[in-house]
Amino acid sequence: MEIGIETSPKLRVGLPHNMQGPTLDDLSKTYNVEKQSVSDFLDVIAYLESKRENIKQEGGGPGSGYYQLETGSSQGGYTRLEQIARDLPKELTPSWAWPAVKAARKNDRSFDASMLNRDQQNYLMASYILLYDRGAIENFQNAESWGEQKDIVLNYWVDRHWAGYGDNESLREEQKAKGSYDLNVYKRNKDWASDMLAPEFNIDNMYYG
């Protein structure tokens, strides 16, 4: 079930609420990838971009939402939205896509992705990646270790989300180094959570040092 778009005065034009639509499972089956791989890939990107929070970019920048898609005329938030509305097969196009495009066109082609709920933002991002960069998820899915998966995500992230660096290799490597540090923290946190859920885990036996 897709929860309706949270609205603002700028986006209150004809957006549907509480309508059933396609899911990540439908996307994964159509594009022949594992749903878990899609979910894991999205989770890592969202962690890199916003620590998985639906926030505005710090310092007043244009990034917004879990994936920090840029607001502003014909920037990343709008272009991704328009592309999935235009290029997804009809049966995979969510009911909110075209109404959101039409609302954004009345707002100088600017779209604030944080107006979508988390499932909708995930669907927007997954659709975009599977339409244009499916190889990244396929490589992530086929990787044999977390180290390989981390490199795949970091390369995708730098290529797509820091594309403005162009051929400036030093800045690209600087962002990759920062991203690598963040993902080491991400992995430790996930391992900790997994240990906490393990049947043999006993907090009384922990050593606090």
Side-chain angles (χ1 to χ4, degrees):
M1 174 69 71
E2 295 180 23
I3 308 302
I5 297 173
E6 300 170 16
T7 59
S8 76
K10 292 182 178 178
L11 286 176
R12 200 169 285 145
V13 184
L15 296 180
H17 290 259
N18 300 317
M19 297 186 72
Q20 195 127 18
T23 64
L24 284 184
D25 193 49
D26 299 321
L27 271 178
S28 302
K29 289 176 181 176
T30 298
Y31 290 99
N32 197 29
V33 291
E34 296 172 359
K35 178 186 175 183
Q36 190 62 53
S37 295
V38 175
S39 296
D40 290 347
F41 192 91
L42 293 176
D43 194 56
V44 177
I45 295 293
Y47 186 85
L48 285 168
E49 289 290 348
S50 68
K51 300 299 182 287
R52 294 182 291 195
E53 295 184 50
N54 194 28
I55 57 174
K56 308 289 187 183
Q57 185 174 337
E58 291 183 4
S64 186
Y66 293 102
Y67 300 100
Q68 292 294 282
L69 300 179
E70 300 92 341
T71 56
S73 182
S74 298
Q75 295 302 304
Y78 176 78
T79 57
R80 281 167 173 74
L81 175 68
E82 184 183 55
Q83 285 170 310
I84 71 151
R86 183 189 66 214
D87 294 342
L88 277 175
K90 184 176 181 180
E91 66 274 13
L92 292 178
T93 304
S95 59
W96 47 264
W98 277 115
V101 169
K102 291 174 183 177
R105 286 175 177 171
K106 295 180 179 181
N107 186 35
D108 195 30
R109 293 178 184 263
S110 177
F111 181 68
D112 183 349
S114 70
M115 296 295 172
L116 300 175
N117 66 42
R118 185 165 191 169
D119 287 344
Q120 291 166 330
Q121 289 185 54
N122 286 343
Y123 194 89
L124 171 62
M125 196 68 176
S127 299
Y128 180 82
I129 296 171
L130 289 171
L131 277 168
Y132 309 112
D133 294 305
R134 182 171 57 177
I137 290 182
E138 290 174 338
N139 291 337
F140 181 87
Q141 176 177 298
N142 295 327
E144 296 183 356
S145 67
W146 162 247
E148 289 182 27
Q149 289 181 323
K150 186 173 82 167
D151 286 342
I152 290 164
V153 173
L154 285 173
N155 286 327
Y156 172 82
W157 179 63
V158 170
D159 288 344
R160 281 292 184 181
H161 292 260
W162 295 94
Y165 285 159
D167 295 327
N168 192 326
E169 198 59 33
S170 64
L171 286 176
R172 287 169 55 84
E173 289 305 312
E174 180 182 331
Q175 285 304 320
K176 282 183 73 172
K178 290 179 180 177
S180 180
Y181 175 85
D182 283 345
L183 291 189
N184 288 339
V185 175
Y186 168 87
K187 184 64 163 60
R188 285 199 298 272
N189 289 343
K190 288 206 75 169
D191 289 346
W192 165 256
S194 178
D195 288 345
M196 287 282 284
L197 293 173
E200 65 274 14
F201 181 83
N202 185 345
I203 198 166
D204 293 330
N205 295 332
M206 287 191 63
Y207 173 66
Y208 290 94

